[in-house]
Amino acid sequence: AGLEADRVVWTCGQIPAANEECTVKIRYRTRAVPCRILRADSDGFSLRFAEPVKAVTPGQAAVLYDGSVVIGGGVICSISETDK
């Protein structure tokens, strides 16, 4: 499963490369989940979770981390329940 996000803000000074591994949080009080970035550009990003994540919902924020450093984030615009 995975998600696509738009309205992205990159805070790390550069846009991550495809296939880069990082973690993502979709709720403030949840733990960061490992993921792989499939696409990232100035318009948004798509990613695939390394493990199941419950209740991913369009309209929520998705914040990407490299360790404790925020890479960037965006607003979830769609989710994918199956691998493509």
Side-chain angles (χ1 to χ4, degrees), residues 8-80:
V8 66
V9 174
W10 298 112
T11 59
C12 62
Q14 64 184 19
I15 297 173
N19 290 316
E20 188 170 324
E21 293 182 356
C22 61
T23 58
V24 62
K25 288 180 80 169
I26 59 167
R27 288 186 183 76
Y28 174 72
R29 294 187 180 264
T30 60
R31 70 177 179 83
V33 176
C35 66
R36 179 178 305 273
I37 296 172
L38 303 176
R39 175 193 61 83
D41 56 36
S42 60
D43 295 324
F45 60 86
S46 60
L47 60 80
R48 185 77 49 221
F49 300 114
E51 59 190 58
V53 177
K54 293 182 180 180
V56 179
T57 307
Q60 291 177 305
V63 181
L64 303 173
Y65 293 84
D66 179 6
S68 62
V69 176
V70 175
I71 298 170
V75 177
I76 299 170
C77 57
S78 67
I79 57 172
S80 102

